[in-house]
Amino acid sequence: MLTFYVLTDFSIAATNALHHALVLAQQAEAHIRLLHVVPAALSAVAACFDCAKPSEDSNSQRQLQEQVEWANHYVPTSGKVLTGEPRQELAKEMTAKGVIVVGNSNPAKAMHSAQCSTALYLVQNLPLPLLVVPATYRAGQPPHRIVFDMDRKPLRLPRAADVVSELFSYLTASSIPLQLSGGAGAVDELLSHIIPRVVGIHVYASESGPEVSDIANRIHQTGLLAGIAHTIATSRYPAIEEGIRHTAARHRADLLGFVVRQHMYPGPEFLQSVTAGLIAHSRIPVLAIPEK
C-alpha cells in the first residue's frame, strides 16, 4: 500500500494539500500519514517549518489529532508530531514506499525568499518523490492530464522513485467502459478517452532540438512511465522554466512531474535552478523526483 506523508503546520496551504492528498489516496487506495514537524526554536531550519515561534506541544497534538480523525473518515490515516532534527526524524518516519506531500502558500514569491521553503528543503534532503500543492489550486478529483518533463542529461534515480509509475498507474486507470453512440461528436468523444493522459515533454532553448525518439528513450530508461501509455512532445522556448509551465498549460495538465537534479546545484545555487523555480512557482501540483 502506498503512503502519502502529508506535512502540516495547520495552515490553509497545508490543509489544502491534505485535501488533495485525500483525493489521490482514495484513487490509489493509499494510507495517509500526517506529520507535524517542530524543530528546536533556534534550529537553522526552523523557518522552513514555520516554527520560528514554536507552539505548545499540547496544542499541536490536539490540532493534529483533529485532522487525523477528520481524514480517517475517507482513508486510513495516522499522525505524529516530530521533534528534533527534521531530516533525521523524517527519514526515520518515512520507511514505507510513498510520496511526501506539502503545500505551497505563495506560488508568486520571489526566489530569494524561497530559501525558507519547506518543499525545497525536503527535495534536497530526502529521497522520496515530493508532491507540492499550491494554495491557489483546488482539486475535487484526481488529475486528468499529467505532463512529465524530461531533459537530456543521464541520471540515476533512487529506489524510492519506483513509486512514481505505480502512482501514475492508479491515476490513469479507468473502469468506465468505452462507448460509441450515434451522435455527431461520438468519434471525438471516443478519441478523448483513447489518447494517453500522460505526455512526456522536453523544452529546449537552442536553435535545434533533440529528436523525439531521443526523449522517448530517455524517459524509457528512467522507468518512471513504465507500463503507462504516453505521448511525447518537444518545443522551443527562450526561458526553460517558463517554457515548461507554458507547455503544461497548453496540454491542460493538472499535474507536472520532473526529476530534480539537486546535487548539481550545491547550497544557494539550487535556488537558481529550473526545477527549484518550478517547485516554487507552479500553479498546478508538481511531483518532484530527487535524483540519487
Side-chain angles (χ1 to χ4, degrees):
M1 175 180 283
L2 297 178
T3 299
F4 288 95
Y5 296 101
V6 184
L7 271 66
T8 182
D9 57 7
F10 314 116
S11 64
I12 293 175
T15 302
N16 182 58
L18 172 58
H19 287 177
H20 190 55
L22 283 170
V23 171
L24 301 183
Q26 287 179 307
Q27 178 78 4
E29 300 179 354
H31 172 87
I32 282 184
R33 181 71 166 162
L34 263 172
L35 301 171
H36 177 57
V37 179
V38 186
L42 299 180
S43 168
V45 300
C48 295
F49 296 92
D50 198 25
C51 292
K53 297 179 180 178
S55 59
E56 295 181 5
D57 289 346
S58 59
N59 189 46
S60 296
Q61 291 283 4
R62 178 184 57 79
Q63 289 180 286
L64 185 67
Q65 187 58 34
E66 288 176 355
Q67 287 198 338
V68 168
E69 291 176 358
W70 173 77
N72 214 21
H73 287 96
Y74 303 95
V75 299
T77 305
S78 59
K80 188 175 182 180
V81 174
L82 302 180
T83 59
E85 201 283 317
R87 179 169 56 181
Q88 295 178 5
E89 294 300 316
L90 288 167
K92 287 191 295 185
E93 186 67 30
M94 298 175 177
T95 55
K97 64 178 179 179
V99 175
I100 309 172
V101 183
V102 68
N104 177 5
S105 61
N106 180 19
K109 60 180 169 291
M111 286 309 295
H112 67 79
S113 65
Q115 58 186 336
C116 295
S117 163
T118 307
L120 295 182
Y121 172 85
L122 293 169
V123 84
Q124 292 180 91
N125 288 281
L126 294 168
L128 270 67
L130 173 70
L131 178 66
V132 183
V133 184
T136 51
Y137 182 85
R138 299 288 188 273
Q141 54 189 354
H144 286 295
R145 191 74 162 165
I146 301 170
V147 164
F148 183 81
D149 175 67
M150 187 71 212
D151 62 27
R152 302 174 67 182
K153 302 182 184 71
L155 57 82
R156 293 194 308 158
L157 295 174
R159 180 168 293 183
D162 293 347
V163 74
V164 173
S165 59
E166 184 174 349
L167 176 60
F168 283 176
S169 294
Y170 280 115
L171 297 181
T172 57
S174 175
S175 59
I176 301 175
L178 298 179
Q179 299 181 7
L180 183 61
S181 64
V187 174
D188 289 341
E189 175 67 18
L190 182 63
L191 287 174
S192 70
H193 290 285
I194 294 175
I195 296 173
R197 291 168 50 186
V198 179
V199 183
I201 68 167
H202 174 75
V203 176
Y204 58 95
S206 57
E207 288 297 326
S208 60
E211 296 290 335
V212 172
S213 58
D214 181 31
I215 301 303
N217 288 335
R218 290 288 184 189
I219 291 176
H220 174 73
Q221 290 166 8
T222 68
L224 293 171
L225 299 184
I228 309 297
H230 59 280
T231 55
I232 304 293
T234 63
S235 57
R236 183 172 179 266
Y237 212 87
I240 300 299
E241 179 192 331
E242 185 180 349
I244 292 172
R245 295 203 309 270
H246 175 80
T247 303
R250 182 158 50 85
H251 286 284
R252 295 175 294 177
D254 36 25
L255 178 63
L256 170 63
F258 48 82
V259 174
V260 180
R261 299 181 182 277
Q262 73 278 27
H263 301 308
M264 291 177 60
Y265 305 95
E269 290 184 21
F270 181 65
L271 290 179
Q272 308 306 316
S273 67
V274 169
T275 49
L278 290 173
I279 291 171
H281 297 143
S282 178
R283 299 281 179 159
I284 62 172
V286 297
L287 183 65
I289 303 110
E291 189 179 25
K292 186 175 181 180

